[in-house]
Amino acid sequence: MAIDKERVLQKIAYIREQVSAIEELVKTSKRQELLNDPWKLRGVKYALQTAIEAVIDIAYHIVAKKYNYPPADARDALRVLEKNGAISTDDFDNYTAMVDFRNRLVHGYQEISPERLYELITNRLVDFERFNKSVMKIIRAEEHKG
């Protein structure tokens, strides 16, 4: 079965939209202002959560369609991408950390401090674009096969 390119591209666009919104907020807000505003923090958390969910959706889709493998969970899907050379081991570690972070956000396993959240949005947003680029390589390779 073929990868649904349009579906994947829509999810990549969504990820970029969320990351861009977070970057704009960081750029236009002073650190302490952002850390002390519960509504801005909630917005950042939601944007991160849904961007990570889009990463997970893309990973599931590619693994199911390209590798004909039904992943048990997000970590399993990412492992298949790693084993097939679509992402590096370092990226696998970064993306599974994203999934763990998303799980903490959604399920409230532990409180995420505003300082930790700020560290993530100022240092780790590049991981999203690295994932997008890896996915685009897969899509281009599929296009050249077909």
Side-chain angles (χ1 to χ4, degrees), residues 3-10 12 58 61-62 66 132-146:
I3 293 172
D4 183 341
K5 178 182 169 185
E6 287 309 310
R7 176 179 171 185
V8 172
L9 291 177
Q10 286 175 348
I12 286 174
I58 291 169
H61 181 72
I62 290 173
K66 179 170 176 58
N132 291 340
K133 286 180 180 178
S134 295
V135 170
M136 290 307 299
K137 284 182 189 174
I138 294 168
I139 288 175
R140 282 193 285 283
E142 289 294 302
E143 288 175 340
H144 291 302
K145 277 178 34 183

Side-chain angles (χ1 to χ4, degrees), residues 20-129:
S20 179
I22 294 168
E23 289 171 337
E24 183 64 24
L25 184 63
V26 169
K27 190 167 63 174
T28 60
S29 302
K30 291 186 170 106
R31 181 181 189 277
Q32 214 48 50
E33 173 192 337
L34 200 148
L35 292 175
N36 292 330
D37 187 329
W39 286 106
K40 286 182 180 177
L41 292 173
R42 284 183 186 111
V44 167
K45 287 177 182 178
Y46 180 78
L48 283 173
Q49 173 192 329
T50 57
I52 294 166
E53 287 172 357
V55 166
I56 293 167
D57 290 348
I58 291 169
Y60 269 61
H61 181 72
I62 290 173
V63 167
K65 300 298 183 183
K66 179 170 176 58
Y67 304 112
N68 198 29
Y69 178 81
D73 57 24
R75 184 178 300 269
D76 189 30
L78 292 166
R79 188 170 316 283
V80 171
L81 292 177
E82 178 199 15
K83 285 183 179 178
N84 285 281
I87 61 173
S88 70
T89 301
D90 286 344
D91 285 341
F92 170 80
D93 293 339
N94 289 333
Y95 305 149
T96 55
M98 272 185 186
V99 171
D100 292 344
F101 179 77
R102 178 242 171 233
N103 289 343
R104 286 194 303 274
L105 280 174
V106 171
H107 302 292
Y109 293 139
Q110 63 189 42
E111 183 61 33
I112 297 161
S113 74
E115 292 78 16
R116 174 70 176 133
L117 187 63
Y118 191 82
E119 179 208 323
L120 288 171
I121 64 174
T122 55
N123 297 315
R124 302 306 313 198
L125 292 181
V126 296
D127 293 337
F128 287 103
E129 191 55 29

